[in-house]
Each structure stands twice: as C-alpha cells, then as structure tokens.
Amino acid sequence: MATSSAPIAGLVLAAGAGSRYGMPKALARGDDGIPWLVRTIRTLTDAGCSPVIVVLGAETAEVRALLHQFGMTPSVVLTQAEDWAEGLSASLRAGLRQATELQATELLPAPVAVAIVPVDIPGLLPGTVARLIGTLPIDTLPGDTLPGDTVPGATDADANPVGPLTLRQAGFDARPGHPVVIGRAHWGALIDSATGDTGARPYLQSHNTRLVDCADLETGLDVDTRD
C-alpha cells in the first residue's frame, strides 16, 4: 500500500505521569532496553512520517536526557504541554499547536495531517502506521472528503490519499485504537474543543471518521500497568 505523497507528521503524546504504571511512560523501557518513546519515534519515522513531534510534560528533563542518550534529539520536534496534568487533551492541544507552526520549506510543504499515537503502545508496527497514512480505496470516503466532494478523474480503481480533511482511526476487530490520522482542516476545532482525558475521541465520534481495520497486523493494545 503506497503512502501519501503529501507530508504527514507524526505526533507522540508522551506528557503523562503514568500514575497507574508507576512512572512516566515516556521513560519506560522494553525487555530489550529500548525506551517505548524511542521505539515509537522510530516506528513513525519508518512508516514515512516527517517530522515527528513529541509532546513532553512530566519529568521533562529526564525524558530529554533519554532522547539525547539514544541520539533522537536532532530528529524530533519537542514541545511542552505546560498543563499536562489536565489529561490527554492537554497533550493533544500542545501537539496540534506545534504542528500548525511547522512551516513549508523550499524542499517540503507543511504537513497536511498528523498521525497521532500515545507512547504506551510499544508493540505498534510501522506497517500499521503505513496503512493509516496510505492510500485507501475511493469507493468509501468517510473522513477523507466532505459530503458532496468529488475527486477529479477518479475511477473505481483509484485510491484516496490523506489530505487536510482526513479523519482516520485504526480499528482492531471493530475496536477503535491508534494511530489516529487527523487532517489539518480539523486541527483548529480540536484545539478549541479537546478537554479532560478523552483526547480526540468525542470529536472523532461526532464526525465522519473512517475506521481502518488493522487487526490482521497487530492487537493495538496499550500498556496501562506493569502487571
């Protein structure tokens, strides 16, 4: 499955204190010693996301040191959610604000969308992200166009790329999960409306979000505790 030719940024929500886990998940490591945060950044990069934005909050100095230790600092855009204790929505708002500030260059346009993942899905695979940011069949277009929109010259064999209007969410046996791909046209409304610990969920539920099945690739489960 081809990925979109338009730039799609990655966005890692890594600001929480991880109270149920017992430590900030941005500092957690897998059995191989690789931090979840480093693994997630690499996964998004390998899938074709550029740049990758990381939202920090709790234990910021320690997380920055960890990224430096693994040589990740030059390859990511770091931003701080000052109100991270409010919940997931604070991280989402900070990340989307940072995404809006990414400017086009002579070599690369500004991102048309972001692929959002929390830091606590260490099993996330590049193939899952690639499916979400890739082209999809054009016969069903929820979340990718507005009602009445047409794609010039499209045929049944054509594919629909990610664009500013895109709303896509990974599904695992009909269970919504991550990544979530949100087009640029939705960022302002989400910044204005996201509150508490629900993140983008209410917005996705009330809009025409396309669920993209990924159950054949992985479980998509997050890690909430150490048990």
Side-chain angles (χ1 to χ4, degrees), residues 8 28 40 42-43 60 72 76-77 88 93 110 131-132 147 154 158 160 166 168 190 209:
I8 300 169
T40 304
R42 290 174 177 171
T43 295
T60 296
M72 305 300 294
V76 298
V77 177
L88 187 63
R93 293 193 304 268
R131 180 173 294 180
L132 264 290
D158 288 329
N160 192 43
T166 295
R168 297 179 183 174
L190 266 168
T209 301

Side-chain angles (χ1 to χ4, degrees), residues 54-73:
V54 177
V55 183
L56 306 180
E59 308 293 346
T60 296
E62 289 83 351
V63 177
R64 287 179 179 271
L66 185 72
L67 291 173
H68 179 74
Q69 176 187 348
F70 281 82
M72 305 300 294
T73 305

